[in-house]
Each structure stands twice: as C-alpha cells, then as structure tokens.
C-alpha cells in the first residue's frame, strides 16, 4: 500500500505533475503513511531520476523546473507533519542558505525543516547568497551554527569563500560551519576548513547536535 504510494509520488515528480504530487502527499497524510518515507522513498527517487534523464539529454531545463515544482508542492504538504507541532526548547541557532550563484533550494530547505523539527531555531536566508549576506545573517541571528548548501561543482567553491569571510569577520570562534549538497564531500569540507559535512538531511541533524555539543 505505502510502496504503491511512494512509486506514484516518484512518478508524479518524473512526469512533472505538481497537482498530482500534492494530492498524493495529502492522501499519504490521510492514510497515516510516514511523511519522511514519502520524501526519501518517493520524492527523492523521482527527482534523482529527473536528474539522470537531464544528464542523459532526455530531459531539458523545463522538465527540471516542473519536476522540482512537483517535489516542492508535495513537500509543502508533508513538511508540517515532520515538525511534530509542539513548541520545544531551542537547542541552537542556525543560519542556513544556498551559496552565491546557486538556485537549488530543495535540499537546503529539507535540511532546514529537519533542523527545525529537532528543536533548532533556523533562519533560512534562501538561495544565491553571498558570504557577506551569510555573515550579516549570522550576526543578526546570533547563530551558533551556519549551514551552507551548494549543488553545482561551479558553486561549491563559494563554501570556501564563506569560511574565509567568517574568519575575516572575526566570527570563526563563535560559529560552527556545516556544509552539504550533492557535489560536496567530507574531504572537501576538511580542505576548506569547515567543521563538518553531512550527506543528507537526517545526518545534518546528527552533525548539528554534535557540532554544538548538545544532547540529541
Ligand atoms: Co539543477 N543541476 N541546474 N536545477 N538540478 C543538478 C544539481 C545536476 C546534478 C543535474 C544533472 O546534470 N544531473 C546539475 C549539476 C552538475 C554539476 O555541477 N556537477 C545541475 C545543473 C547543471 C543545473 C543548471 C546549470 C542547468 C542549466 O541551466 N543548464 C542550472 C543551474 C542554476 C543555478 O543554480 N544557477 C540548474 C537549475 C535547476 C533548477 C532551478 C531547474 C532546479 C532547482 C529548483 C529548485 O531548487 N527550486 C534544478 C534541479 C531540480 C536539479 C536536480 C534534478 C535535483 C536537485 C534537488 O532538488 N534534489 C539535480 C540533480 C540531482 O540532484 N539528482 C540538479 C533533491 C534534494 C532533496 O537533494 O539538493 O542533493 P539535494 O539535497 C540533499 C543533500 O545533498 C543534502 O541533504 C539534502 C536532503 O537529503 N544537502 C545538505 C543539501 N544541502 C545540504 C546542506 C547541509 C547538509 C546536507 O548542511 C548545511
């Protein structure tokens, strides 16, 4: 039953059907299907396939955009259920965003949602953000942790610039730096002087707890 729903969610993303994706997500919640499983086993499978078809030249930019729209539409329905609905003690303050020149928002938003669901106070500054904009947001939020997402091999170097900008702003001892995104690796994170790398939204939460030394 759930397996069938995951497949349909994946297919709605592959076919670029935002309304269908939204209706399926609604159906999943009504039937008590785990929203996280819908994301990981349905929507993620679909968007990965869209990426593959794009790489193979089968899909073009419009299909990429509409596939992402379908995923976002379903996420909008599922994400509130990940939050648990209760007010919790704030475990840490996080500023998160996608680097300058990079418009990919879905993974970053998912990480932000999972952090919020786990008690972090998250300031999501959005996409295409310069190191200076990150630094201003860190100051404004009095953040303990900054999360930086990059999805393009051409923009991942912006993460290095962010580490440098944080040092230059005199904030390096105050804020931990976590990086992620499809082309980013553990060794890249070490090389640029970040404090940690997470492969997905779940491990980003574990990493955030470890970095700020809070009990999970
Ligand atoms: Co783009 N795109 N895209 N795209 N796009 C990729 C990334 C690509 C791999 C597709 C491909 O060729 N197979 C490729 C990059 C190649 C490369 O650099 N090596 C690519 C390209 C080339 C481009 C353009 C250049 C295409 C063009 O214009 N010719 C262009 C660039 C625009 C720009 O940013 N300046 C472009 C545009 C777009 C859209 C705008 C159309 C759209 C994004 C829409 C949106 O976000 N609103 C889009 C999409 C949808 C994709 C794919 C298909 C899916 C990305 C996604 O949302 N994945 C992607 C292919 C793919 O990834 N398979 C692709 C789902 C998301 C949940 O996963 O973002 O990886 P992800 O996040 C994960 C982890 O990475 C991690 O946790 C998340 C949850 O598990 N994570 C973190 C992410 N951030 C983290 C931060 C952390 C920790 C973990 O700590 C802070």
């Amino acid at each position: 039953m759930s397996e069938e729903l995951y497949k349909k969610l994946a297919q709605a993303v592959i076919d670029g059907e935002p309304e269908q994706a939204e209706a399926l997500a609604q159906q999943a919640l009504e039937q008590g299907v785990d929203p996280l499983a819908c994301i990981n086993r349905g929507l993620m499978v679909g968007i990965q396939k869209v990426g593959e078809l794009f790489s193979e030249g089968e899909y073009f930019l419009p299909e990429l955009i509409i596939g992402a729209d379908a995923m976002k539409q379903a996420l909008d329905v599922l994400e509130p259920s990940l939050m648990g609905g209760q007010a919790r003690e704030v475990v840490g303050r996080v500023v998160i965003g996608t680097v300058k020149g990079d418009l990919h928002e879905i993974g970053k938003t998912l990480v932000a949602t999972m952090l919020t669901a786990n008690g972090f106070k998250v300031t999501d500054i959005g996409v295409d953000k310069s190191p200076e904009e990150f630094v201003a947001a860190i100051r404004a939020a009095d953040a303990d942790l900054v999360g930086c997402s990059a999805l393009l091999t051409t923009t991942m170097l912006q993460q290095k610039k962010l580490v440098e900008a944080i040092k230059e702003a005199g904030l390096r001892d105050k804020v931990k730096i976590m990086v992620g995104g499809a082309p980013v690796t553990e060794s890249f994170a070490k090389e640029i002087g970040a404090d940690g790398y997470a492969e997905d939204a779940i491990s980003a939460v574990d990493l955030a707890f470890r970095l700020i030394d809070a009990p999970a």
Side-chain angles (χ1 to χ4, degrees):
M1 180 73 168
S2 305
E3 288 301 328
E4 192 58 30
L5 205 53
Y6 303 148
K7 274 193 196 143
K8 285 185 178 168
L9 278 164
Q11 200 58 48
V13 174
I14 296 165
D15 294 342
E17 301 272 9
E19 282 170 18
Q20 170 76 349
E22 184 183 358
L24 287 166
Q26 202 64 56
Q27 190 186 329
L29 292 187
E30 282 159 15
Q31 293 176 358
V33 180
D34 176 12
L36 195 56
C38 289
I39 295 172
N40 288 332
R41 299 176 62 185
L43 300 173
M44 290 291 286
V45 173
I47 200 78
Q48 269 153 16
K49 183 71 188 166
V50 169
E52 277 167 36
L53 292 168
F54 179 74
S55 304
E56 290 160 8
E58 290 272 323
Y59 272 14
F60 297 96
L61 208 49
E63 284 91 357
L64 209 57
I65 294 171
I66 191 85
D69 276 353
M71 177 150 184
K72 278 199 294 174
Q73 205 86 347
L75 280 177
D76 284 349
V77 174
L78 296 171
E79 280 182 331
S81 304
L82 295 174
M83 301 287 189
Q86 313 113 312
R88 296 179 45 174
E89 200 181 317
V90 172
V91 291
R93 290 182 181 73
V94 187
V95 163
I96 192 165
T98 302
V99 294
K100 184 86 194 147
D102 197 323
L103 303 176
H104 295 86
E105 66 178 327
I106 298 174
K108 176 268 301 161
T109 305
L110 207 48
V111 173
T113 301
M114 292 305 292
L115 288 170
T116 306
N118 282 276
F120 287 85
K121 185 167 170 26
V122 179
T123 306
D124 184 345
I125 60 171
V127 299
D128 192 18
K129 296 298 168 196
S130 66
E132 294 72 27
E133 287 170 295
F134 271 95
V135 166
I138 292 166
R139 286 211 169 97
D142 191 20
D144 313 297
L145 182 62
V146 59
C148 177
S149 183
L151 261 287
L152 299 169
T153 42
T154 48
T155 58
M156 59 194 274
L157 280 174
Q158 287 289 329
Q159 294 184 327
K160 183 169 191 269
K161 292 196 173 159
L162 175 61
V163 176
E164 284 160 5
I166 289 172
K167 277 186 198 153
E168 275 163 30
L171 295 170
R172 190 64 188 97
D173 292 338
K174 195 200 158 314
V175 74
K176 299 284 183 190
I177 306 171
M178 162 166 100
V179 294
V184 181
T185 60
E186 184 89 56
S187 64
F188 177 74
K190 282 208 179 96
E191 191 186 310
I192 64 171
D195 296 300
Y197 156 79
E199 188 180 12
D200 56 34
I202 307 280
S203 43
V205 173
D206 290 342
L207 175 64
F209 275 110
R210 270 187 280 127
L211 289 179
I212 67 160
D213 216 5

